[in-house]
Amino acid sequence: MARMTEEEADALDERLTRTTPAIQTGPGSHRPNRMVAVDDLTAEYLTSKAMATHKSPTEVLGDLVRKELTASA
């Protein structure tokens, strides 16, 4: 996975310092967001698959889990 440059990190820090991140509310948002640490290979795969399918990495991961659960049932 590509690393941020110092300039990019400073710009992100500045943006997050000056703004409040949007929090999703409404139907389906009753669960808290969960962060999962993955290795570099997994992160690259999820990012590439997400870009190719126009989905978020979370959606790609969810699809993979559902497929695995269906296969094992």
Side-chain angles (χ1 to χ4, degrees):
M1 186 187 306
R3 302 287 181 200
M4 277 194 255
T5 65
E6 283 294 321
E7 292 168 345
E8 291 170 328
D10 289 341
L12 179 61
D13 179 58
E14 184 70 22
R15 181 177 176 198
L16 292 176
T17 300
R18 293 183 182 270
T19 61
T20 303
I23 298 174
Q24 182 182 9
T25 59
S29 64
H30 62 281
R31 292 185 180 166
N33 288 329
R34 294 178 179 96
M35 184 178 291
V36 177
V38 296
D39 57 60
D40 286 340
L41 177 64
T42 304
E44 285 291 329
Y45 175 82
L46 288 172
T47 302
S48 297
K49 188 75 166 179
M51 289 174 26
T53 59
H54 304 288
K55 294 182 176 182
S56 70
T58 302
E59 291 171 315
V60 171
L61 190 53
D63 290 347
L64 289 169
V65 170
R66 285 189 247 337
K67 183 177 178 182
E68 181 68 24
L69 289 172
T70 302
S72 66

